[in-house]
Amino acid sequence: MRIQLSDHFTYRKLLRFTLPSIVMMVFTSIYGVVDGLFVSNFVGKGPFTAVNLVMPVVMIFGGLGFMFGTGGSALVAKTLGQGRRDQANRYFTMIAIATVGTGIVISALGAAFMRPICRWLRADAEIIDDCVLYGRILLGFNTAYMLQNVFQSFLITAEKPKLGLLATIAAGVTNMALDALFIAGFGWGVAGAAVATGLSQCVGGLFPLLYFLRPNNSLLRLRPVKLQLRPILQSCGNGASEVVSSVTSSIIGMVYNFQLLRFAGKDGVAAYGVLMYTEFIFVAVFIGYAIGSAPVIGYHYGAENTGELKSLLRKSVTLNLGSGIVMLGIAQALAMTLAHLFVGYDPALFSMTVHGFRIFTVAFVLLGLNIFFSSFFTALNNGVVSAAISFLRTFVFKLSAVLVLPLLFKLDGIWWATVVAEVFAFLASGVFLLKNRRKYGYF
């Protein structure tokens, strides 16, 4: 039976509706790891360094797609909840057009300034050509990448989450297959990796575009429209937390590496890299739930159905907290196995990684809740609070913790920094929830 945004959501129905988004994000994380493994094993350490150096810049631009997608889908879901379906489709079309226009501009500017950007990133003479080549090719596909991120959210709002999952799987399979062909088979190096990723983004972005351009049985369809600046700016404001998260995460990653070099040398950076790769997959579950549940929350907010809004908040808190505890148990049980998979060849590094992993993963208990609370306010069309939670969590609290705690506890302070940051983020989210409870009526 088809699940509609207007339905009453039991735990079972909520999990069924969000499951495609969860699987979609987990799969995206897995094929992202595979992408890095191909470059590292078949191209070499230098090119792999070049890819990792440029990737944060590309991810920031991709974050603009998430901004349009999450912020725009919140606006469209609210409008659908108000019973204004024609207006919702107009907003949807405006956001898609704005995404395409922004993507083209970024591609042009990125191609022109990629070499200065790489110099600013401190790429040396050995890797700068690979950095520039990889960055320019990827940014050439940036419009498709942004559309892929936009339609991940809108396919859920259109009550077609399974199509979003299929598009992501098709893109992931394309990426992995072309990685094998272009890198391992043809020996195209970083250019092959970039082209493989770009073509997979075309699959993920253009397939939903064609779907929405044609007559379909979903809630949304692209249609001729006169552009208006206000809904586009409102969508950007709603989704500002996505850009905040992308930018601040990149900065914090640099600070973590600096502190690890100071207290543990290159082994510390390597151990942290293992934690990041494995965290991607665990966190993907929480992000997938947030993306999948946001349109439902936005719809019932627009329909002024406070009873369902209360129910969705209560169920989401229970599910995220329960999932966090389960994931902590899984992570603790698999700590040695995962560490051995990446760094089993070095006993000292293996021991450091396992120790750090056991501390670091305690953050999973509250991580899902904090991600959901930011998404919850985005769905309520309150981009200011959503961005504030994201900024405090990903920048202020993490930066403070990773700078202060190592002074007291040395290397262990770095491993505990994320845990402490998530605790403070949870407290801050609670303050925002209490402060806005009367405005939205969610409890």
Side-chain angles (χ1 to χ4, degrees):
M1 180 182 292
R2 177 179 173 181
I3 300 175
Q4 298 179 319
L5 295 179
S6 56
D7 289 350
H8 166 65
F9 280 77
T10 62
Y11 280 105
R12 179 182 176 85
K13 186 173 288 187
L14 190 55
L15 286 172
R16 282 180 56 202
F17 190 78
T18 57
L19 183 60
S21 302
I22 294 171
V23 176
M24 174 180 69
M25 292 307 301
V26 171
F27 190 79
T28 300
S29 299
I30 292 173
Y31 83 70
V33 172
V34 171
D35 203 37
L37 288 173
F38 266 103
V39 175
S40 179
N41 287 288
F42 289 94
V43 187
K45 181 179 178 180
F48 183 60
T49 303
V51 168
N52 286 313
L53 197 64
V54 174
M55 187 56 67
V57 176
V58 178
M59 295 304 294
I60 289 172
F61 292 141
L64 295 175
F66 281 116
M67 176 186 72
F68 282 117
T70 58
S73 64
L75 174 62
V76 170
K78 175 187 174 183
T79 307
L80 287 170
Q82 293 170 339
R84 298 186 293 152
R85 184 169 177 177
D86 287 342
Q87 186 65 36
N89 278 286
R90 282 194 285 271
Y91 287 157
F92 171 48
T93 305
M94 292 177 201
I95 294 162
I97 293 173
T99 301
V100 172
T102 304
I104 292 172
V105 171
I106 289 174
S107 293
L109 292 175
F113 293 100
M114 183 50 62
R115 188 167 290 274
I117 290 173
C118 292
R119 289 198 186 101
W120 178 76
L121 292 171
R122 297 184 179 180
D124 58 27
E126 182 181 354
I127 64 171
I128 191 168
D129 288 339
D130 281 335
C131 288
V132 173
L133 179 61
Y134 186 80
R136 281 178 174 168
I137 293 174
L138 269 191
L139 287 180
F141 291 97
N142 188 65
T143 301
Y145 182 40
M146 289 179 63
L147 284 174
Q148 180 180 5
N149 292 336
V150 165
F151 289 135
Q152 282 181 356
S153 295
F154 276 113
L155 281 166
I156 300 166
T157 306
E159 298 178 345
K160 294 292 182 180
K162 291 182 180 179
L163 277 180
L165 174 59
L166 290 175
T168 300
I169 290 176
V173 171
T174 299
N175 192 17
M176 289 186 283
L178 292 182
D179 272 340
L181 180 64
F182 295 161
I183 301 174
F186 295 167
W188 288 356
V190 294
V195 172
T197 299
L199 291 177
S200 73
Q201 290 164 353
C202 289
V203 173
L206 299 183
F207 168 70
L209 177 64
L210 293 175
Y211 174 80
F212 284 121
L213 283 170
R214 297 169 57 86
N216 62 73
N217 63 350
S218 77
L219 294 179
L220 300 176
R221 185 185 174 189
L222 295 170
R223 50 176 293 178
V225 68
K226 182 179 179 180
L227 285 178
Q228 298 174 4
L229 188 60
R230 184 175 179 180
I232 295 173
L233 291 178
Q234 187 175 349
S235 299
C236 293
N238 289 342
S241 61
E242 301 301 327
V243 175
V244 169
S245 181
S246 294
V247 174
T248 56
S249 294
S250 297
I251 295 172
I252 291 300
M254 297 176 190
V255 176
Y256 263 79
N257 285 335
F258 173 78
Q259 290 288 74
L260 286 162
L261 285 170
R262 178 183 175 188
F263 287 94
K266 293 181 180 179
D267 277 3
V269 176
Y272 183 65
V274 175
L275 302 189
M276 290 298 97
Y277 270 116
T278 52
E279 185 197 29
F280 289 157
I281 298 174
F282 285 95
V283 173
V285 175
F286 298 127
I287 296 175
Y289 180 85
I291 292 173
S293 61
V296 181
I297 294 166
Y299 182 94
H300 287 284
Y301 168 59
E304 299 182 358
N305 189 350
T306 55
E308 188 65 18
L309 204 58
K310 292 177 182 178
S311 174
L312 287 166
L313 177 58
R314 184 177 65 254
K315 289 180 172 66
S316 295
V317 168
T318 301
L319 289 171
N320 278 284
L321 180 58
S323 298
I325 294 171
V326 170
M327 285 189 189
L328 171 60
I330 294 173
Q332 293 291 322
L334 295 179
M336 296 184 69
T337 302
L338 293 171
H340 190 272
L341 180 65
F342 284 91
V343 294
Y345 53 85
D346 187 320
L349 179 55
F350 170 78
S351 178
M352 179 189 295
T353 303
V354 172
H355 178 69
F357 196 86
R358 293 197 185 282
I359 297 174
F360 182 86
T361 53
V362 174
F364 289 173
V365 175
L366 297 178
L367 181 60
L369 285 171
N370 292 329
I371 290 173
F372 170 76
F373 289 143
S374 177
S375 172
F376 182 68
F377 282 103
T378 297
L380 296 176
N381 286 255
N382 193 330
V384 174
V385 172
S386 176
I389 292 173
S390 182
F391 181 74
L392 288 171
R393 173 180 164 263
T394 60
F395 189 75
V396 175
F397 296 141
K398 280 192 177 182
L399 180 62
S400 301
V402 79
L403 290 177
V404 173
L405 291 181
L407 299 177
L408 303 173
F409 306 107
K410 297 186 178 180
L411 180 59
D412 275 359
I414 301 177
W415 305 138
W416 279 108
T418 297
V419 180
V420 171
E422 294 298 341
V423 171
F424 278 98
F426 175 74
L427 296 175
S429 297
V431 171
F432 284 117
L433 284 167
L434 290 172
K435 185 177 180 180
N436 290 276
R437 66 187 186 282
R438 292 182 180 176
K439 180 178 179 179
Y440 298 108
Y442 41 69
F443 61 75

